[in-house]
Amino acid sequence: MSKLRFRVVETAFKKKAAPVEIPSERPSEYFAKYVFNREKMFKYLPGKVYDKLVDVMDNGAPLDRSVADEVAMGMKRWAEELGVTHYTHWFQPLTEGTAEKHDAFLEHDGKGGMMEEFSGKLLVQQEPDASSFPNGGIRNTFEARGYSAWDPSSPVFVVDDTLCIPTVFIAYTGESLDYKAPLLRALRAVDKAATEVCRYFNPDVRKAVAYLGWEQEYFLVDEGLYAARPDLLLTGRTLLGHEAGKNQQLEDHYFGAIPERVAAFMKDLEIRALELGIPVKTRHNEVAPNQFELAPVYEECNLAVDHNMLLMSLMRRVARHHGFRVLLHEKPFKGVNGSGKHNNWSLGTDTGILLHSPGKTAKDNLRFITFVVNTLMAVYKHNGLLKASIMSATNAHRLGANEAPPAIISSFLGKQLSEVLDHLEENGTDDILTLCGKQGLKLDIPQIPELLIDNTDRNRTSPFAFTGNRFEFRAVGSEANCACAMIALNAAVAHQLSLFKTEVDALVETGEETMKAILTVLRRYIKECKPIRFDGNGYSDEWKEEAARRGLDCETSCPIIFDNYLKPETVAMFESTGVMTHKELKARNEVKWETYTKKIQIEARVLGDLAMNHIIPVATGYQSRLIDNVYKMKELFAEEKSARLTRENLKLIEEIGERVLFITEHVDAMVETRKVANKITDEREKAIVYHDHIAPMLEEIRYHVDKLELIVDNEKWTLPKYSELLFIR
């Protein structure tokens, strides 16, 4: 291999695990050390202020501005004890990342000096530049004003020397420019709608809560190897690279022993995450080499989203301390599993979990079925929207292969629940409302205890599977903000529950008994949403044909899938729930189309540069060596013998020439196609051209580059190969 590549690979393979400073306390003792949680609030705030703030957090009471100064004073006192000197409003613009602007606790004291100050006004509101973030045309460059406003329901935390205040981000004209504001509205809508439906079964229910448990998959790559791959550095994925002889085909990495260096990284990450109040619990090797997973305990949806965004940032920082780079791209390596972020979603109330089965009584089971069926109805009616909520230029590479769910939304329920719904649809009686819980399974091995078997199996190909007391939205991408999917899902469920209540109430008004009215509506819903239920293999071609017959959204073009956000029924759903306006939806689609175009554009530029400045010089250099060898063989041997000895080299010389010619011509064509596309002013039309014409060119060029990788002398190949990138020593 080349001298530079040899040094980089050798350094990577010689690295040892970095030492990790393990706290002497138990995790429960340092959990949320850097979080202004209720324990800290109680300690640093006056009693009346604490009570008012808890009322805001628990019951959605309006925040009294008069309280803000005392809250800010208590926060500042706590933060300064931790060595904090700055504060920032921490928000989530439409970039899939987070944003922060740090200000010091400093103000003039009026006597020529400075003093530390942090007021309620600074806590509650700031003014970032709204024109410099993606806004979809809501803000022009000369209309820069935007506001960030404190979200008291997500606790303030400290990172290094900075007090981080979770906030929403809105335009001067009031439209949301972030993910948090519409998520909070969606959660408020599902709280209201679910609470009203719950009162059919329990009049004492006061509040409904959406829960989220995300599972974060990711790859680790040695930092030196990462730096030697411009495609990883600039796009997050390998735009070229032939599969290694061994990758995941033996399934030996999955749940295997965690490599020492990786274990040290995981320990360090977990300690820092726990200190920031992120309840991380599970870690393991994933299926692909160098792929891993981290998952927390379930939390309220808004807090879970904040914690995931914070964790992704934390992962990147901690990884560098251990000589790694974290890859959160959904498909950084071709030919092996991609990374997802399974979103386990459930609903609960102040009296229990709504999707928990079996219940103690027939009424409990009817309540359970009510929420399952209404969720299925929401997913069925808005399956295209849910697909749009998880679709991106990066996630499009992952969906439909290597254990990732297909780009068709369907729901797996399992045998028992499917039979219950089918029986209810056909008979309309409540005699089946006695559901079975976990069943015992005895193995013929004396020392092994009885196993408890769940009442549903798992379907790895289902994008939206019921898994016991929750639905697992498996299609969400690993680098995505969970809020995008959660906004769509919670708003759709809220809207559906409201429709359900309207229909049930209408029957009750005609004199029908409430439970019977509920069963009547549910029977119709079960029949109507049946097309969304699918328990088979989501990868099969037969399912694609069947899904189309069922009327499900089978579109595969990313830019066209985004159209689901602007369908009349989608706009009506978002506006009726108060989550987003038509103007906000249109602006977000402009951002999505523009982001898609830019990502493909960057990949095309990077691949073109790699092809012309790395691959072709190396390939033609090796070709010249082969040509030189042929001439020397002809000088040494007679014509007949030299022809026989040089036959294979001549074939390689010709193949290299043909592949280099193809790459050169197609890179030139790609550049010209981009020039034409870039003149298109309509963002949707431009994105479609990039999807239909430029994205396929990337794969065509890659195919020939990867073939050259197998031909060219390994000593001359400058870029680290998959066999080096995918295996941590």
Side-chain angles (χ1 to χ4, degrees), residues 117-137:
E117 183 176 280
F118 181 57
S119 66
K121 179 181 178 182
L122 299 176
L123 166 65
V124 170
Q125 182 176 316
Q126 272 193 340
E127 186 189 330
D129 187 341
S131 66
S132 298
F133 291 102
N135 59 68

Side-chain angles (χ1 to χ4, degrees), residues 243-262:
E243 291 183 34
K246 176 186 181 297
N247 47 54
Q248 68 183 48
Q249 62 264 53
L250 295 178
E251 288 89 25
D252 54 340
H253 186 68
Y254 190 50
F255 279 22
I258 299 171
E260 184 182 3
R261 285 181 61 205
V262 177

Side-chain angles (χ1 to χ4, degrees), residues 579-597:
V579 174
M580 281 189 282
T581 65
H582 181 262
K583 183 177 180 180
E584 288 172 318
L585 290 167
K586 187 176 180 182
R588 282 161 194 268
N589 257 30
E590 290 291 315
V591 172
K592 287 178 180 291
W593 285 318
E594 185 179 8
T595 300
Y596 179 87
T597 297

Side-chain angles (χ1 to χ4, degrees), residues 47 180 217 256 275 302 396 401 414 430 720:
K180 181 181 276 284
E217 295 176 342
E275 288 177 336
N302 177 47
D430 59 359

Side-chain angles (χ1 to χ4, degrees), residues 279-293:
V280 292
K281 182 178 179 68
T282 302
R283 66 188 186 203
H284 63 81
N285 289 4
E286 257 299 335
V287 176
N290 277 20
Q291 189 187 32
F292 308 95
E293 181 177 298

Side-chain angles (χ1 to χ4, degrees), residues 8 28 43 214 263 307 353 370 454 458 461 494 526 576 601 637:
V8 170
S28 59
K43 179 179 178 181
W214 40 263
H307 278 167
I353 302 297
T370 295
D454 289 282
R458 286 180 180 266
T461 69
I526 291 168
S576 68
Q601 185 182 73
F637 301 103

